[in-house]
Amino acid sequence: MSEQTQQRGTSQARRVVVVGAGMAGVQTAVALREQGFKGTVTLIGAEPHQPYDRPPLSKAVLLGKAEGSAFDVDFEALGIDVRLGSEALGVRPADHELDTEAGPVPYDVLVLATGAEPIRLPGAEGVPGVHLLRTLDDAERLRPVLARQHDIVVVGAGWIGAEFATAAREAGCAVTVVEAADRPLAGALPAEVAAPMTAWYADSGTELRTHARVERIEPGEVVLDDGSRLPAGAVVVGIGARPAAAWLSGSDIELGAHGEVVADDHLRTSVPDVYAVGDCASFPSGRYGERLLVHHWDNALQGPRTVAANIVGDASAVYDPVPYFWSEQFGRFVQYVGHHAAADTLLWRGDPAGPAWSVCWLRRDRLVALLAVGRPRDLAQGRRLIEAGTPMDPRLLADPARPLKEATA
């Protein structure tokens, strides 16, 4: 990016348009004001609802303990123009215009924050009783299903599948989770780490069926590829998500192998004056030496600060976070920090059959990732140790009675 183009897209920008009104989009708009941006800020969302937070959808909203999860942001006081119910259709970088259902929107700087969309189960489109859980409307459609205590089949034993199964059991539903892999969280955790989580399903009264593929869904039944039939008053599909970036095809904005927007370490895209943040974008991690695509809430919270800093003119603002997420499932609080793909050592802290334990991943003598089940102190201390790159003593680290901060080399 030339210095002239970068200057035009930062401190002299008059109009910033943020497309996507989820966590990443809202936080970008707010961060711009917090960092002193004086130009116009327009936030465009495809849904008609006031911008809202997603984690409560699988918990409080789903169980009727909350009516919604709107962000506590006074957009009018901040001078943020919020335009809802307007889907983005494309970008014309040469004209500096975003095309939407409501017509073209000119910009000086554009921020892409369209998040991710759930992967749909082939053949399930239009079948009565099949649900996704991604939006407020999805949660509101599912709430009466849980209230009627239907037999529910959850397809996918990932994070969202486990969280929904937890809520459904709390509501008194009979729940069966079917997973094509041999264990829960097969795409997220190594087999030995995910193995103890299998027992959580049975302990909660949830039936978990692994090596189980859905052949088809019929009204009131799920048919597996082995011919078995599962009664299903409702089916909830949780088989993953993909970046919501297909609408950018043909815009000259580079997309990656997973269909995500490819951003640099300042969260700039391949096109001048266009940034990307949150679930829709990947970024190069100097800390981990690879490009990361992080579909978690904390990434959508942290990234906007870097985007805003770059827009207001801080060219030194680089994004290289330690990824973090949490999940509440089957009465357990699960937290993960870091990225374990390049680790060469795995250490346990505590008994995985018990209520509280952690797993540490090391690369050489540095902690690079940590999973904590019911051990929030491990998580908090581990996060700081990863950020600092502190050398660790594996022998001390494996002692669950010793605080992590005292297990340094």
Side-chain angles (χ1 to χ4, degrees), residues 6-7 12 22 72-73 75-76 86 113 120 152 168 171 188 213 217 235 309 327 334 341 359 368 371 379:
Q6 187 173 336
Q7 179 72 9
Q12 295 182 7
D72 184 17
V73 175
F75 294 104
E76 185 176 355
S86 182
R120 298 178 183 272
I152 293 177
R213 294 185 177 275
I217 299 176
V235 178
S327 177
V334 183
V359 175
V368 294
L371 175 80
L379 191 290

Side-chain angles (χ1 to χ4, degrees), residues 22-369:
M23 171 61 80
V26 167
Q27 289 300 320
T28 297
V30 170
L32 282 165
R33 292 303 190 217
E34 289 177 344
Q35 297 185 33
F37 180 75
K38 302 300 184 185
T40 64
V41 178
T42 303
L43 180 67
I44 296 176
E47 294 183 54
H49 309 290
Q50 282 297 307
Y52 61 88
D53 203 6
R54 293 187 188 277
L57 298 185
S58 62
K59 306 175 184 71
V61 175
L62 192 61
L63 291 170
K65 297 177 180 179
E67 287 303 312
S69 56
F71 291 112
D72 184 17
V73 175
D74 190 337
F75 294 104
E76 185 176 355
L78 290 172
I80 298 169
D81 178 18
V82 180
R83 304 181 188 180
L84 302 173
S86 182
E87 186 174 358
L89 303 176
V91 179
R92 287 177 286 115
D95 300 324
H96 274 66
E97 285 192 333
L98 170 75
D99 288 320
T100 76
E101 288 179 325
V105 179
Y107 67 84
D108 292 309
V109 175
L110 178 66
V111 181
L112 306 174
T114 45
E117 56 193 6
I119 297 172
R120 298 178 183 272
L121 187 67
E125 294 286 337
V127 178
V130 177
H131 300 264
L132 299 168
L133 181 53
R134 183 70 182 179
T135 68
L136 181 59
D137 288 341
D138 292 337
E140 290 179 344
R141 281 189 290 266
L142 276 164
R143 188 157 56 184
V145 173
L146 267 59
R148 291 193 293 267
Q149 297 186 336
H150 280 294
D151 290 343
I152 293 177
V153 173
V154 180
V155 183
W159 300 112
I160 191 65
E163 289 186 3
F164 178 81
T166 299
R169 286 297 298 140
E170 185 176 335
C173 300
V175 182
T176 302
V177 178
V178 297
E179 169 58 51
D182 61 350
R183 63 188 188 276
L185 296 168
L189 296 174
E192 62 188 299
V193 177
M197 300 176 178
T198 301
W200 298 357
Y201 287 77
D203 291 346
S204 72
T206 301
E207 182 182 359
L208 173 64
R209 300 185 62 156
T210 57
H211 299 287
R213 294 185 177 275
V214 175
E215 179 71 28
R216 65 185 182 277
I217 299 176
E218 299 176 354
E221 279 191 326
V222 173
V223 182
L224 302 181
D225 60 357
D226 64 359
S228 58
R229 293 173 175 266
L230 305 176
V235 178
V236 177
V237 178
I239 54 175
R242 60 168 61 94
W247 64 281
L248 293 166
S249 178
S251 67
D252 293 330
I253 295 172
E254 182 184 355
L255 301 181
H258 302 283
E260 85 284 7
V261 182
V262 174
D264 69 8
D265 59 357
H266 291 71
L267 298 180
R268 299 175 299 209
T269 73
S270 60
V271 167
D273 306 322
V274 180
Y275 293 80
V277 65
D279 290 6
C280 72
S282 65
F283 56 90
S285 171
R287 186 188 310 275
Y288 290 105
E290 61 182 283
R291 180 166 287 274
L292 300 182
L293 176 61
V294 181
H295 282 183
H296 292 297
W297 185 90
D298 192 64
N299 179 51
L301 175 67
Q302 303 294 341
R305 298 167 188 165
T306 299
V307 171
N310 279 282
I311 290 173
V312 300
D314 181 2
S316 66
V318 169
Y319 191 56
D320 194 7
V322 176
Y324 165 75
F325 71 90
W326 79 96
S327 177
E328 296 178 73
Q329 50 184 272
F330 307 118
R332 293 165 176 84
F333 187 43
V334 183
Q335 296 172 283
Y336 177 95
V337 64
H339 181 65
H340 66 263
D344 51 40
T345 303
L346 184 152
L347 293 173
W348 293 86
R349 285 171 57 81
D351 180 3
W357 47 273
S358 296
V359 175
C360 299
W361 285 271
L362 300 173
R363 186 172 62 224
R364 294 182 290 278
D365 62 349
R366 301 301 201 273
L367 188 65
V368 294

